[in-house]
Amino acid sequence: MSIVRTALESLAPYSQSRIIDPLEHPKKEKEGSDDYDARIWRERIHQRDGEVVIPAMALKNALSEAAKYLSIQIQGKGKATYTKHFEAGVLILDDPRTGIQADAVGAERLYLNADGRRGGSTRVWRRMPRIDSWRADVDWHILDPIITQEVFLRTLREAGNLIGIGRWRPRNNGIYGRFHCTSHSWVQQDETI
């Protein structure tokens, strides 16, 4: 097993869209939809102890999507690609912290599809969190030894450029959530998790 210690930085704003449970955050009596949204929009931020975190699975899924998108063939394995090796053989064990306080995050008011699906007929005003810039240290656990350092770094680069994270990322026809790796170190480990 190897651990790749990376420092990631934003290339574009990042907008999170955590699902809000209406049972956990019910509307107040006689509260209109816009007033409700104005009161609870910060609940869309992924946070721990008041600090914005990036869901580990968002980064992991971006990496897996990039591997699928690139379809890099494994030398000596015919037409086989790295996709399944990235899907099953890479882990992030904890949500990376950004150092940004959730209370400091601003919102943008957008006219969005009521059901969250593109092309719907009903639109509503919603406030979504917008983080203009961020950085986070991420430890990637490479469990599959077939993933080389070169292939991992190329895939990570394209995950940041072409896939992204969060709401309105490039993979979903958006421009937010792009990132790049500013530094990395590859550490070989003999023991397993």
Side-chain angles (χ1 to χ4, degrees):
M1 178 182 79
S2 300
I3 297 176
V4 186
R5 294 204 156 93
T6 61
L8 303 182
E9 262 182 31
S10 59
L11 289 171
Y14 172 40
S15 181
Q16 297 184 334
S17 58
R18 190 175 75 86
I19 295 172
I20 297 173
D21 183 352
L23 297 176
E24 193 176 317
H25 301 281
K27 271 189 178 181
K28 293 180 178 178
E29 191 175 328
K30 296 184 181 179
E31 184 175 41
S33 295
D34 194 54
D35 292 330
Y36 175 71
D37 187 66
R39 181 171 59 85
I40 57 92
W41 71 266
R42 275 190 204 282
E43 298 301 323
R44 292 188 175 100
I45 300 171
H46 294 271
Q47 54 185 296
R48 183 179 310 132
D49 304 323
E51 182 181 345
V52 176
V53 297
I54 299 171
M57 287 309 296
L59 289 165
K60 162 70 168 86
N61 288 339
L63 190 72
S64 294
E65 280 283 320
K68 185 175 182 179
Y69 180 87
L70 294 171
S71 294
I72 302 169
Q73 292 181 357
I74 303 168
Q75 273 192 320
K77 298 279 186 177
K79 296 284 184 187
T81 68
Y82 283 95
T83 302
K84 68 181 180 184
H85 300 279
F86 275 92
E87 290 173 346
V90 178
L91 294 174
I92 301 173
L93 301 179
D94 199 15
D95 295 338
R97 293 177 175 263
T98 63
I100 299 168
Q101 293 301 307
D103 290 345
V105 174
E108 56 186 349
R109 194 165 181 252
L110 303 163
Y111 199 52
L112 302 173
N113 293 307
D115 62 2
R117 295 181 190 183
R118 213 168 63 187
S121 60
T122 307
R123 288 173 142 331
V124 294
W125 285 102
R126 292 246 164 86
R127 288 162 187 85
M128 302 301 283
R130 178 182 159 142
I131 300 164
D132 288 322
S133 66
W134 58 269
R135 76 164 307 285
D137 295 323
V138 182
D139 286 350
W140 306 81
H141 297 260
I142 313 297
L143 306 178
D144 193 329
I146 202 162
I147 299 171
T148 65
Q149 185 172 355
E150 178 187 341
V151 169
F152 175 82
L153 292 173
R154 178 179 172 195
T155 305
L156 179 61
R157 182 178 61 246
E158 298 312 329
N161 285 329
L162 303 172
I163 307 300
I165 56 173
R167 182 192 66 79
W168 206 40
R169 62 190 175 272
R171 184 70 174 110
N172 293 345
N173 288 322
I175 59 171
Y176 283 7
R178 294 179 56 242
F179 62 88
H180 70 288
C181 179
T182 58
S183 68
H184 69 276
S185 63
W186 189 278
V187 181
Q188 286 294 132
Q189 300 280 322
D190 290 332
E191 56 194 71
T192 58
I193 297 174

